[in-house]
Amino acid sequence: MSDVENSPELKAESHSDQGGPSSHHEKSQSTEASHQDLQCLPSPGVSSLADVSPSPSDEFTGLLSLPWEVLSQIASHLPADFVVNVLPNVCHALGNVVKDRTAWQLRAQRLLGSQARYPVGPRDDFDWVTACLELEQLLTCWIGDDHHVARRIQRLEDEEGVARPDEEPVAEGEEDGGDVERVGVAAQEDDFGEDEAIEVGIEDENIQVPEDQLERLRQEFEEGLMRNAQRNNIRIDGPQLGDHNYHLNDLAEPGNERQEPNSLSPSTELECITLPSDHISYINSVLLLGGEGKLCATASRDWNVKLWDLQAGSNGALLHTLRKPGDFNSHKGWVWCLASQGPLLASGSFDSTVRLWDLQASGAERGLIRTGTAVLCLSCQTDMLLAGTFDKRVSMYDTRAAVPLIKSVRLHGNAVMCLAADDKYVISGSKDSTVVVYDRRAGKSLKKIQVRSYLLSMSYSGCEIWAGDNSGKLHSFSLQAGTLKPLSQFDVGHTAVVTGIHRSPGSLYSCSSDGTVKVHIPCGPPRTLSTLHHRAAVHGLSVEAGVLAVASGDMFGCVEVWRHRN
């Protein structure tokens, strides 16, 4: 716990905010001075707002005596990162802003507009805080300043219209003769309610406060926070507080033409580096490692896996070509896929093996798993490694055991092209155009769904699964209590196979062999913020800590890395 939270004067204030009597009846002169800094709003301003809602404390007449709704309204104009990382260090009362679920839902609605269906999947247990943090970062990096954000979101919302032409309701059923499920926008709204969660508490939050007075309160609130942070040696990095206020109702400046989404360049917040060319064939897979986007692994048809330091020099540097001592290459065939968990890196190859590498030992070989057929996809969990193979099977391995194979199950009628998993379920997509959810604990398949095109890439987080198919479409599914349900199919503009996809609560990335990488808001339908064009096919992408790595090129593979400028 920080020194600020442990200070007796702030504990007294926090206790008073919760309605209980303060244990400090008499305060020292230093305590009064400390409280004076927190009273960053004058009494006249407070009295004019006193009728809005009951005051949380009758003892104070400064910042903390404001109605909770006003504090929440002011905080909604601060960057999400500031609200999460700084306010809790000022005092407990302001830290409670982070726990206000409705306020975060309203923030997301303000960022995306009222027409956006967000999230696409279930709202139960949705991580609104992470979503808002990622949304603000995504908009800042891939659009730019406040005015560009407002104009772009407004334009996308206007173009979207009521019909949502780029969203197709899907008709999908179980392969074993089950009833066809009619799903899509209508089914989604029936299940979860149209704007169900977002509308909760809106009337309570719409406090009628004059705009000029609200702006003055916000400015004085920021100044008080900055003074208190400086006094307590709290470091506040990054842009000023007002730099991330995205308002969808801001009007575009007359005469300023907007760029089309597919021609937009990322903002100056980002820089792009190209790793030195070291592979001599196609790079099939790229994977960011370590949780901070500082390391990168690449897998190529030149039979090698390479490890890169993205922080070295101006364009990164090669650390190691991973191989067993005495071997010339990492594998004896095309290296097709990568997966990692902690210090373990796994590579799957057409040579019918999965090789394990120890990142803590300079990439030394840690083990070898023989699969008997080409490995097309991998998923690494804390207790298990999963492999999807050409022989229509999903195999589960314990990488610590002398005999690593735990179980191998045939779930499909053709090659397994993509995998996603957590500690309960395995979701697999196959070239037979089916998607299967498998219960790891029960050891049985729970459901098989037939889709229109086969899936080649998949991303799973929370209760949502997003996948890309061989026709360039994106598919969304929900998974709750083992029940897999198709939601919608989206056309986002890809014209060929979707080779990679990454979805998190506040971001969506997709890439295709048509040579494009698209950055989207993960709503229904997705709103494309930016499109990166490449001369050759894009074979894969990886996203970690706001860093985007893209593998593209023909005979001599290329890896581009988009990241925040230092």
Side-chain angles (χ1 to χ4, degrees):
M1 186 175 295
S2 66
D3 293 334
V4 179
E5 292 177 335
N6 287 326
S7 63
E9 59 270 22
L10 292 184
K11 286 184 177 179
E13 291 173 13
S14 177
H15 190 52
S16 298
D17 293 335
Q18 298 171 359
S22 172
S23 61
H24 299 274
H25 297 289
E26 296 181 1
K27 300 182 179 180
S28 65
Q29 187 173 359
S30 61
T31 303
E32 294 175 357
S34 174
H35 180 62
Q36 190 93 21
D37 286 340
L38 280 177
Q39 291 180 335
C40 52
L41 298 178
S43 298
V46 175
S47 60
S48 63
L49 296 173
D51 295 332
V52 176
S53 65
S55 172
S57 172
D58 295 331
E59 180 180 353
F60 302 124
T61 58
L63 172 64
L64 298 181
S65 68
L66 286 173
W68 173 255
E69 294 85 353
V70 175
L71 285 176
S72 181
Q73 176 80 352
I74 295 172
S76 70
H77 292 274
L78 303 176
D81 180 68
F82 185 89
V83 173
V84 171
N85 296 315
V86 176
L87 290 190
N89 293 328
V90 176
C91 70
H92 292 297
L94 293 178
N96 287 333
V97 173
V98 181
K99 304 175 184 178
D100 191 343
R101 181 179 172 87
T102 301
W104 290 107
Q105 295 180 42
L106 292 171
R107 180 186 286 260
Q109 183 189 48
R110 198 162 48 247
L111 287 170
L112 303 182
S114 58
Q115 295 184 24
R117 180 159 57 91
Y118 180 78
V120 174
R123 293 187 174 95
D124 298 341
D125 301 321
F126 184 71
D127 190 347
W128 289 99
V129 177
T130 299
C132 289
L133 286 168
E134 292 182 350
L135 281 170
E136 290 189 5
Q137 183 184 63
L138 192 77
L139 293 169
T140 301
C141 291
W142 295 97
I143 293 183
D145 59 38
D146 297 358
H147 294 292
H148 283 105
V149 170
R151 291 186 306 208
R152 171 52 55 83
I153 298 299
Q154 188 65 59
R155 179 184 177 89
L156 292 173
E157 192 174 47
D158 292 343
E159 290 177 349
E160 196 172 287
V162 178
R164 303 178 188 266
D166 51 352
E167 178 176 3
E168 303 175 18
V170 292
E172 303 168 354
E174 295 187 50
E175 187 185 67
D176 54 3
D179 296 335
V180 174
E181 300 180 17
R182 298 292 179 179
V183 297
V185 179
Q188 171 75 5
E189 292 176 352
D190 288 342
D191 286 343
F192 307 115
E194 186 175 5
D195 292 331
E196 173 187 358
I198 289 180
E199 291 184 357
V200 175
I202 287 182
E203 294 182 359
D204 293 335
E205 293 291 337
N206 288 335
I207 304 168
Q208 299 300 320
V209 181
E211 287 295 330
D212 57 342
Q213 192 172 41
L214 186 60
E215 177 63 20
R216 179 178 60 81
L217 290 173
R218 184 184 69 83
Q219 292 176 354
E220 293 175 342
F221 179 68
E222 293 173 2
E223 292 170 0
L225 288 176
M226 297 295 285
R227 286 198 305 270
N228 192 67
Q230 292 170 359
R231 178 172 56 80
N232 291 283
N233 295 320
I234 299 173
R235 183 176 178 182
I236 303 176
D237 294 322
Q240 295 300 313
L241 301 179
D243 288 353
H244 291 68
N245 297 332
Y246 306 122
H247 297 287
L248 296 176
N249 296 325
D250 291 347
L251 299 177
E253 298 177 10
N256 285 354
E257 297 183 359
R258 306 171 179 124
Q259 293 178 300
E260 293 300 324
N262 61 359
S263 64
L264 179 71
S265 298
S267 76
T268 56
E269 294 278 337
L270 294 176
E271 66 175 1
C272 178
I273 65 171
T274 301
L275 297 183
S277 178
D278 200 71
H279 288 289
I280 57 174
S281 187
Y282 296 90
I283 297 176
N284 290 319
S285 182
V286 60
L287 182 65
L288 293 168
L289 305 167
E292 298 178 353
K294 296 180 179 179
L295 293 176
C296 177
T298 54
S300 170
R301 297 186 191 183
D302 66 7
W303 301 8
N304 284 316
V305 178
K306 295 182 183 289
L307 191 62
W308 305 83
D309 181 358
L310 303 184
Q311 301 295 310
S314 58
N315 288 305
L318 177 65
L319 287 177
H320 308 285
T321 296
L322 307 184
R323 55 192 171 213
K324 183 179 179 181
D327 287 353
F328 187 72
N329 299 109
S330 307
H331 283 268
K332 296 180 181 179
W334 289 0
V335 190
W336 198 254
C337 50
L338 296 168
S340 70
Q341 179 68 43
L344 174 69
L345 173 66
S347 57
S349 170
F350 274 35
D351 66 3
S352 303
T353 67
V354 176
R355 289 188 182 267
L356 309 176
W357 314 96
D358 190 345
L359 298 178
Q360 291 181 335
S362 301
E365 188 182 50
R366 179 170 157 180
L368 173 67
I369 297 174
R370 300 189 183 277
T371 60
T373 186
V375 181
L376 303 179
C377 50
L378 292 170
S379 177
C380 234
Q381 304 301 307
T382 54
D383 61 339
M384 185 180 293
L385 173 68
L386 300 109
T389 50
F390 184 75
D391 63 353
K392 314 166 190 176
R393 290 181 173 273
V394 174
S395 300
M396 291 155 260
Y397 301 95
D398 183 349
T399 60
R400 302 162 297 180
V403 181
L405 180 63
I406 299 173
K407 181 180 288 188
S408 183
V409 291
R410 181 170 172 172
L411 301 177
H412 298 277
N414 208 325
V416 180
M417 307 299 293
C418 54
L419 272 178
D422 60 14
D423 60 344
K424 295 180 180 179
Y425 307 109
V426 179
I427 307 96
S428 57
S430 168
K431 201 171 182 179
D432 66 0
S433 299
T434 63
V435 183
V436 172
V437 57
Y438 179 85
D439 190 323
R440 288 178 48 183
R441 298 176 181 177
K444 64 179 182 180
S445 174
L446 298 180
K447 191 168 187 180
K448 179 180 285 189
I449 295 176
Q450 188 81 33
V451 293
R452 296 175 182 175
S453 304
Y454 66 86
L455 308 180
L456 289 100
S457 54
M458 185 177 290
S459 179
Y460 174 31
S461 65
C463 294
E464 290 187 34
I465 301 163
W466 286 68
D469 69 19
N470 64 315
S471 68
K473 303 292 194 301
L474 303 187
H475 300 252
S476 63
F477 305 83
S478 66
L479 179 59
Q480 285 186 300
T483 301
L484 180 68
K485 181 175 181 180
L487 298 176
S488 296
Q489 175 180 295
F490 305 106
D491 182 358
V492 296
H494 289 304
T495 58
V497 173
V498 178
T499 53
I501 189 169
H502 172 87
R503 181 263 174 192
S504 65
S507 67
L508 176 65
Y509 300 80
S510 60
C511 65
S512 169
S513 58
D514 65 7
T516 62
V517 177
K518 293 180 179 288
V519 183
H520 319 272
I521 294 174
C523 56
R527 294 175 177 171
T528 303
L529 300 178
S530 184
T531 300
L532 308 176
H533 294 271
H534 297 77
R535 295 179 180 178
V538 180
H539 306 297
L541 60 77
S542 180
V543 179
E544 185 177 73
V547 179
L548 167 66
V550 178
S552 65
D554 40 32
M555 281 303 295
F556 297 97
C558 170
V559 173
E560 291 180 352
V561 178
W562 293 84
R563 63 187 183 186
H564 291 280
R565 292 185 183 275
N566 293 328

